[in-house]
Amino acid sequence: MRLNFLTVMFLFFSLQLLSNDFDKAQDTIELRKASMQGIWERVKRLAPFIDVDSNLDYSQNLAVQDAKDIKLLLEKSKNLWPRSTNLSTRNLTNATPAIWAVEEYFNRLYAEAEVAASNLEIALENNNWERVDIEMCNLGNACGTCHASFRRLLTSQLANEASAWSGKYISDCK
């Protein structure tokens, strides 16, 4: 009888710990989603300004601030990919298990996005429009490759995702 009680208590406390870990993982996933959405909102504002260079409602100061925000969001979300958030089999994240299977590749793409965001900020601050175009392309290519490699999508999401993260934020992007 005592052994059964101890077994039940052990299971109860184990489930509590697992529940806390699960809740932490879900919180991390939500924070990660919010960060990525914040990056995307800023990219959508930046792209027409850079490509057309005549958006009167969006100034260079706002462009620089968006570039700074992208860089900051990438920095802050860099550590939001622990193995505990590999919950794609439960449909709780669109991140595929491949992120953790080929972590080195994921980390390389993430680092490329961080470098591009940092260089984009510098180029915008210096009015170096040729460099702005290059870094916007680099950012799009890093983000797009990462999403193509590591993001699970439903068929209904494919068209939107392909156009959103194609890397073709500006017309001359190669």
Side-chain angles (χ1 to χ4, degrees), residues 14-82:
S14 295
L15 288 174
Q16 288 289 86
L17 288 175
L18 288 174
S19 175
N20 288 339
D21 289 344
F22 181 74
D23 291 342
K24 287 179 191 173
Q26 283 188 298
D27 290 346
T28 301
I29 289 168
E30 290 305 313
L31 188 55
R32 186 171 68 209
K33 284 180 187 177
S35 295
M36 294 295 126
Q37 289 169 354
I39 291 168
W40 178 236
E41 287 172 13
R42 285 153 180 88
V43 166
K44 284 193 319 190
R45 283 195 303 250
L46 268 168
F49 174 74
I50 292 169
D51 200 26
V52 179
D53 199 23
S54 65
N55 187 337
L56 299 177
D57 294 333
Y58 188 83
S59 68
Q60 182 173 353
N61 289 340
L62 290 173
V64 170
Q65 186 58 54
D66 275 344
K68 286 179 188 225
D69 290 349
I70 290 169
K71 184 176 90 171
L72 181 64
L73 285 165
L74 282 167
E75 288 171 6
K76 297 293 183 187
S77 60
K78 185 176 191 169
N79 296 318
L80 297 178
W81 304 92

